[in-house]
Amino acid sequence: MLIFVGVPTFLVLRYTFKEGFELAGYRFKGLVVGVAVFLFFIWLVSLLDGGGSDCFYIVGCI
């Protein structure tokens, strides 16, 4: 469990603070927008695959 939480958290923090504290807000905002767009496209693919509105392709249904 620690690996599934610790490794992504470390990677996000490393990416966010890579250029220093001044740009951390912009990089984090970009990361959040990227994840939102990615999840939106996964949702669209799940609808094309015949899944319900609460199902994500490969990830499963909520």
Side-chain angles (χ1 to χ4, degrees), residues 1-10:
M1 183 68 180
L2 184 61
I3 292 173
F4 292 114
V5 174
V7 172
T9 302
F10 172 75

Side-chain angles (χ1 to χ4, degrees), residues 5-61:
V5 174
V7 172
T9 302
F10 172 75
L11 292 175
V12 166
L13 290 175
R14 191 176 99 185
Y15 170 79
T16 302
F17 294 108
K18 185 177 183 180
E19 300 293 326
F21 289 105
E22 301 85 29
L23 299 176
Y26 295 111
R27 291 178 69 88
F28 186 73
K29 181 181 174 185
L31 186 69
V32 169
V33 169
V35 168
V37 169
F38 178 72
L39 289 176
F40 178 74
F41 282 121
I42 289 176
W43 177 72
L44 284 178
V45 169
S46 73
L47 290 179
L48 294 175
D49 192 36
S53 61
D54 294 334
C55 295
F56 296 102
Y57 182 69
I58 295 176
V59 178
C61 297

